[in-house]
Structure formats: C-alpha cells, structure tokens
C-alpha cells in the first residue's frame, strides 16, 4: 500500500514541498531514498522506538520510503513525524485518509514526544500558498506557524496525539494568533532609551541623521565615551518594522533556529553585535549545513561592529558586497543560496591603539604614524561605504552629574519616521530603493541638486581637507537626509555644512595633527 504525507525543506529563507512516500510489502528490510542526510536516515531508529512507546506495533514489512523531489538534499530530524505517519498508514496499522490535507513536520523523541524544529515559519507560508488545509507542528513551534493567516495550525506534543487527530478519534486545539493586533501592541516597546544618555548632543544628532536616511555610521572615540551604550539605543529611534519586514526578519531567525520557544512575529528591528573574532563564514552565512550569517540576522535592523579595526581583514572585506547590493550570494560546490542582507552598519573604534588620540585631557602614547596605520586596517573601499564618520569625546562631569534626562527616543523617532515618509514618497517608483542612502548617481542628480552657494561651500571643504572624490556623493546623500529632517524641499547651505562635518576621516589632516576647523 502506498501512502503519501507532506513536509517541507528550507532553502535559503524559503521552503519547498517535500512529498514523503511510503510503501509496505512482504519482507523485513527498510530502505530510504531521496538524498537524505545522516540525521534523516537515522530517523528509522527514532521512529521505531517512538511507535513502540506510543502503544503501537511497529510494522514488520519491507518498507521503502522516498523523499521527493529526489535531487533536493533533506537535512535534520524534522521529517521524523511525517515519515512515521506514512509508515504506519502504509502498513495498515492506522487509517489516516485525511493526512494529505495537512503539512506535517516534527522531530520524534524515543518516548514518542514531538520536539521543536527550525524553519517553521517559511514552511507555514508555503503550506498556505500550496492550499493545504492546515499544518501540524511541534507544540513549541505552534505560535510561530500561527502567524500565517488563513491556515489551521495544530501544535502536537506526541506521536499518539497526532495519530488520533488524523484518525478522527480525538481533537487538538487550533492555535490562533491575531498577528496585526499583537504586532501593533509590541512594536514600540524598547529596553533602552536615549533619554538615559547624558550629553553627546552632536553624536545623538548624527545617529538621528543616520537612522532617517538609512546611512551607515562609524564612531571614533576613546574608551568610555559611550559608543556602545548609544549604539544599543539605535533600534528605539529607527522606523517601526512594517508587517512584511517583520515577516521576512522572523523567517530568517526561524531558519537559523534563533526564535525562542513560543515565539511569534518579531516586532522590533534586530540588533546584532558579533565579537571581533568572528569568522567570515559566521558573518555572511553558509557552512556544510547552510545557515544565515550575522549580516542576514541583522536584516532590516542594525549590525553593530565594536572595535572595528580589530576584526580580521577577510571579515571586513566580505562586508563590501552586501553593503552595496543588500543581499549575499553564497556559492559552494554543492549549493548556491541567496540571503537578504539589508542592514544598517554601525561601527565604532578607538582613534589609535592606545585609545587617546585627540583626547581632551589624556595624552596619546602611540609612536609617530601609529594613528594612520591603525586607521589603515579599514580599507578605502569599505570606508567609502560608510556615509557618516563621527568623532566622539568623553562626557564632561557636569553632564554626567546632571539630573536632567536627555531627549526621549520617542521624540527622535517621530522626526525619523517623518523623514522616512518623505523618502518613501520620493522613491515610490524606484524598485528596491526606499531611503536616501541607496540613491545612485542618477537619483542624486534628480533629488539632490545644489545651488551655486552650496557648490562653493562643498568645493572649499574638499580642497581644504583634501577629501577624496568618493566623499562627494556621500555628502550629497547625507545633506539630502538633513534637508528631509528639516522638511526642506531643497538642500541649503546649512545642510551641506552639517553633512561635511560628518566626514571626519576623509580629511587628510586626520591622524596627522589636530582636526582643522571648517573653512566657513
């Protein structure tokens, strides 16, 4: 007797349907075909023990299990549950005529309990797309799958429970999640707030500009100046996730197995802060069993890289392509996968090896040339992709001791959201572009024209500080964002001056002597 059940395999951050076919005939052998890895092939031992512990007799037949399509590699233990159902039904031990209406996934423990798996959300999206009536998943993954509307989701705790449900002898409670209501209720709750930051008005302004335009930003300052503390508060001023962005972000974290038990839709933009000892594969993704890397886990959020020059050169260089294209393509001998990587890079570094170059009260102990050598650990092409380069100084004692709170994140976020709405309207006919940081040269000519006065200010600055040509477009993009925050249709001289002030590392004097004043 031939029986079919249905599951799914994750490829990248999407899923494809896997058909589990089981045939029972006289004999005693067990064969599994369909490009299954070791974990899938070992399911026979788990299933045999789970069936016995669930009160059923494991069939003594010649059983052939095929996982189709045969040219797609099947990985992990998530196929245990649909394979067990197919084997028992094919041998006549159970009668589950309605099993084909459901997508079934879950790992089996030896006692018959159903264990959580990864990648349930993209599987649930596929189940709805293919028209399945519902989906049966481990109880721990039920709320994750229930995020998908118009799909019946049932959380199973044991193999016996699933069998009795499919046979119609018992029922399971359907898991229901009001996605939109819960998303709206939780998207404005944050653990950190900018009201807790004392002083640093200029740096907070730079963060506001960066978030308003989606610009990458590099902070340069001595130890203890508050670089990491302020970076952790950035998600609180970024625009709220849209429902589609939240779904995409949750899919990535689901595939990577980073969602907590009972997790639903992610409501806050991710903040990833990898250690400087991270490997290139861990950053971009891949591996023998392909998984999203840190840049994909930061998709639609922030990738914070503290101690930027301490990262290895190969790690820093692999950032260049995703910063430009906003996705990462990983090609290996056995697979080729695309992961989204639309993140905002926030990096911080000391100004020199000892950390006290340009410090107002402590003397730098580094030998001549050490500051420039330290900065040169970051390549020019990578630095070219960072729009704002801001120096930060320690907070004076008077500001630290002040009892007054700073401006709350909610007020800053209002201005950021208003500026983003202007940009969304501006780029509504430009696919893949939704913020000023992604403007190309053609769009800069259209949306960031400069008056003669602005051009003269920019010319003087570039000549005075010997800025490279790559700084020109970056200044225009940032100036356009500052104008949006000012609700100005045109870029004014004040906007250009502020944008120039955020290009500290482009000045030829930086690292050789104290920064020169602006020539205007």
């Amino acid at each position: 007797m031939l029986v079919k059940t249905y599951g799914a395999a994750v490829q990248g951050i999407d899923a494809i349907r896997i058909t589990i076919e089981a045939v029972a005939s006289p004999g005693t052998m067990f064969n599994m075909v369909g490009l299954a890895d070791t974990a899938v092939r070992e399911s026979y031992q788990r299933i045999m023990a789970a069936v016995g512990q669930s009160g059923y007799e494991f069939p003594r037949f010649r059983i052939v299990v095929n996982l189709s399509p045969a040219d797609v590699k099947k990985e992990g233990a998530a196929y245990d549950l649909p394979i067990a159902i197919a084997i028992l039904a094919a041998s006549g031990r159970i009668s589950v005529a309605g099993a084909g209406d459901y997508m079934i996934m879950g790992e089996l423990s030896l006692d018959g309990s159903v264990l959580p798996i990864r990648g349930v959300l993209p599987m649930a999206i596929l189940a709805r797309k293919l028209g399945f009536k519902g989906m049966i998943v481990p109880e721990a993954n039920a709320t994750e799958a229930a995020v998908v509307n118009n799909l019946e989701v049932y959380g199973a705790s044991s193999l016996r429970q699933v069998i009795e449900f499919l046979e119609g002898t018992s029922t399971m409670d359907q898991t229901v999640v009001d996605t939109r209501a819960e998303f709206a209720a939780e998207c404005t709750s944050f653990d950190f707030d900018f009201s807790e930051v004392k002083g640093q008005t200029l740096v907070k302004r730079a963060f506001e500009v960066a978030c308003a335009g989606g610009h990458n930003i590099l902070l340069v300052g001595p130890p203890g100046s508050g670089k990491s503390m302020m970076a952790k508060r950035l998600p609180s001023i970024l625009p709220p996730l849209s429902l589609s962005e939240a779904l995409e972000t949750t899919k990535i974290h689901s595939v990577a197995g980073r969602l907590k038990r009972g997790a639903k839709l992610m409501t806050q933009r991710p903040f990833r802060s990898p250690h400087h000892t991270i490997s290139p594969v861990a950053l971009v993704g891949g591996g023998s069993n392909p998984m999203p890397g840190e840049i994909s886990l930061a998709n639609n959020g922030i990738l914070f890289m503290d101690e930027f020059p301490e990262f290895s050169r190969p790690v820093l260089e692999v950032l260049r392509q995703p910063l430009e294209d906003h996705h990462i393509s990983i090609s290996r001998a056995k697979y080729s996968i695309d992961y989204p990587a639309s993140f905002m890079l926030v990096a911080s570094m000391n100004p020199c090896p000892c950390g006290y170059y340009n410090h107002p009260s402590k003397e730098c102990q580094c030998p001549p040339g050490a500051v420039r050598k330290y900065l040169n650990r970051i390549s020019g092409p990578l630095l070219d992709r960072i729009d704002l380069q801001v120096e930060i100084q320690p907070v004076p004692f008077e500001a630290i001791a002040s009892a007054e709170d700073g401006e709350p994140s909610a007020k800053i976020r209002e201005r950021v959201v208003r500026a983003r709405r202007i940009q969304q309207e501006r780029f509504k006919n430009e696919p893949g572009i939704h913020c000023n940081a992604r403007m190309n040269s053609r769009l800069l000519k259209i949306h960031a024209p400069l008056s003669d006065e602005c051009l003269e200010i920019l010319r003087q600055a570039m000549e005075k500080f010997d800025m490279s040509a790559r700084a020109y477009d970056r200044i225009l993009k940032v100036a356009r964002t500052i104008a949006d925050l000012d609700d100005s249709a045109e870029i004014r001289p004040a906007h250009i001056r502020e944008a120039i002030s955020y290009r500290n590392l482009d000045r030829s004097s930086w690292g050789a002597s104290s920064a020169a004043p602006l020539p205007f």
Side-chain angles (χ1 to χ4, degrees), residues 416-466:
V416 169
V417 169
R418 186 167 61 247
R420 282 291 183 102
R421 285 174 181 161
I422 293 173
Q423 294 164 52
Q424 288 172 0
E425 179 64 23
R426 176 182 298 140
F427 303 123
K428 63 182 179 181
N429 296 322
E430 301 290 341
I433 298 177
H434 59 270
C435 60
N436 290 332
R438 296 193 181 184
M439 282 194 292
N440 52 34
S441 298
R442 176 181 63 85
L443 292 175
L444 277 174
K445 291 180 181 179
I446 298 173
H447 300 296
L450 297 182
S451 64
D452 291 341
E453 183 180 1
C454 290
L455 279 172
E456 180 59 22
I457 292 172
L458 184 54
R459 183 190 66 79
Q460 290 182 31
M462 295 192 71
E463 290 179 356
K464 175 72 174 181
F465 300 129
D466 192 23

Side-chain angles (χ1 to χ4, degrees), residues 9 28 32 40 46 53 74 76 91 102 112 152 258 317 360 485:
T28 57
M32 182 179 293
V40 180
R46 291 190 297 271
Q53 293 296 319
K74 324 303 184 305
S91 61
Y102 297 90
E152 296 178 10
R258 299 301 181 96
E317 292 308 300
L485 284 168

Side-chain angles (χ1 to χ4, degrees), residues 9 26 61 70 142 150 160 177 200 203 223 261 280 282 297 309 392 397 455 488 496 511:
F61 289 95
N150 303 318
R160 186 177 188 86
V177 174
Q200 300 294 12
V203 181
R261 183 184 179 95
L297 292 171
I392 176 173
F397 174 79
L455 279 172
S488 173
I496 280 289

Side-chain angles (χ1 to χ4, degrees), residues 198-398:
K198 305 290 187 179
Q200 300 294 12
T201 304
L202 295 178
V203 181
K204 286 191 281 189
R205 170 63 176 178
F207 275 145
E208 180 181 339
V209 172
C211 291
H215 303 287
N216 302 317
I217 182 171
L218 172 63
L219 298 178
V220 185
S225 55
K227 302 186 293 294
S228 301
M229 179 193 68
M230 286 190 286
K232 290 178 180 178
R233 285 157 175 76
L234 274 177
S236 67
I237 65 172
L238 281 169
L241 282 169
S242 66
L243 203 54
S244 61
E245 286 178 328
L247 191 62
E248 181 183 51
T249 304
T250 309
K251 281 171 62 178
I252 297 170
H253 285 251
S254 174
V255 170
R258 299 301 181 96
L259 295 181
K260 297 179 181 178
R261 183 184 179 95
K264 301 172 186 176
L265 199 65
M266 293 181 65
T267 57
Q268 296 182 7
R269 294 186 181 272
F271 180 90
R272 305 297 301 180
S273 180
H275 193 261
H276 64 261
T277 57
I278 191 172
S279 68
V281 172
L283 186 68
V284 303
S288 56
N289 293 325
M291 285 291 165
E294 286 291 332
I295 62 173
S296 295
L297 292 171
N299 186 60
N300 294 321
I302 292 171
L303 179 68
F304 177 53
M305 302 183 75
D306 199 8
E307 305 296 342
F308 202 40
E310 302 301 327
F311 287 82
S312 69
R313 190 62 174 254
V315 167
L316 293 179
E317 292 308 300
V318 297
L319 282 172
R320 288 163 55 179
Q321 185 257 336
L323 280 173
E324 195 73 25
D325 300 335
H326 308 292
H327 73 274
I328 182 71
S329 299
I330 302 170
S331 298
R332 300 292 184 266
K334 296 183 179 180
Y335 64 84
S336 179
I337 292 177
D338 281 355
Y339 288 122
S342 180
F343 59 90
M344 177 178 156
L345 175 64
V346 180
S348 69
M349 59 178 286
N350 293 333
C352 65
C354 81
Y356 296 108
Y357 176 76
N358 270 354
H359 194 280
S361 59
K362 295 185 179 180
E363 185 177 351
C364 177
Q365 302 297 321
C366 298
V371 177
R372 177 55 58 182
K373 184 178 179 181
Y374 190 68
L375 179 62
N376 285 343
R377 293 185 185 182
I378 307 170
S379 68
L382 178 56
L383 203 60
D384 177 32
R385 289 162 171 80
I386 301 177
D387 295 344
L388 287 84
Q389 306 155 3
V390 182
E391 283 193 82
I392 176 173
Q393 294 295 338
V395 181
F397 174 79
E398 292 76 11

Side-chain angles (χ1 to χ4, degrees), residues 38-256:
T38 302
V40 180
R41 292 196 300 270
E42 289 174 347
S43 65
Y44 176 72
Q45 304 296 331
R46 291 190 297 271
I47 291 170
M48 187 164 57
V51 167
Q53 293 296 319
S54 300
Y56 297 92
E57 182 183 355
F58 192 82
R60 298 184 179 278
F61 289 95
R62 182 178 185 271
I63 299 171
V64 178
V65 175
N66 177 43
L67 306 178
S68 175
D71 60 344
V72 174
K73 187 174 183 180
K74 324 303 184 305
E75 299 173 334
Y79 302 100
D80 289 359
L81 186 56
I83 291 174
I85 298 296
I87 290 174
L88 291 174
S91 61
R93 294 290 190 269
I94 61 175
S95 177
V96 287
D101 295 334
Y102 297 90
M103 181 177 285
I104 306 170
M105 292 295 285
E107 178 183 346
L108 288 177
S109 178
L110 297 185
D111 64 359
S113 59
V114 183
L115 304 178
I117 60 175
R118 294 183 302 194
V120 166
L121 181 55
M123 295 176 188
I125 294 172
L126 175 69
R128 182 181 65 179
K129 179 180 178 182
L130 296 178
F132 281 95
K133 179 182 178 181
M135 188 173 185
I136 300 174
V137 296
E139 194 173 34
N141 298 117
T143 54
E144 179 186 340
V147 165
V148 180
N149 298 324
N150 303 318
L151 181 72
E152 296 178 10
V153 175
Y154 298 95
S157 60
S158 68
L159 172 61
R160 186 177 188 86
Q161 184 185 23
V162 175
I163 292 173
E164 291 176 351
F165 173 74
L166 293 175
E167 288 184 322
T169 58
S170 70
T171 60
M172 286 196 295
D173 293 332
Q174 182 180 343
T175 303
V176 179
V177 174
D178 190 339
T179 304
R180 293 185 181 275
E182 296 199 10
F183 178 74
E186 297 179 12
C187 65
T188 56
S189 175
F190 299 97
D191 295 330
F192 303 104
D193 195 280
F194 268 99
S195 63
E196 302 156 353
V197 179
K198 305 290 187 179
Q200 300 294 12
T201 304
L202 295 178
V203 181
K204 286 191 281 189
R205 170 63 176 178
F207 275 145
E208 180 181 339
V209 172
C211 291
H215 303 287
N216 302 317
I217 182 171
L218 172 63
L219 298 178
V220 185
S225 55
K227 302 186 293 294
S228 301
M229 179 193 68
M230 286 190 286
K232 290 178 180 178
R233 285 157 175 76
L234 274 177
S236 67
I237 65 172
L238 281 169
L241 282 169
S242 66
L243 203 54
S244 61
E245 286 178 328
L247 191 62
E248 181 183 51
T249 304
T250 309
K251 281 171 62 178
I252 297 170
H253 285 251
S254 174
V255 170

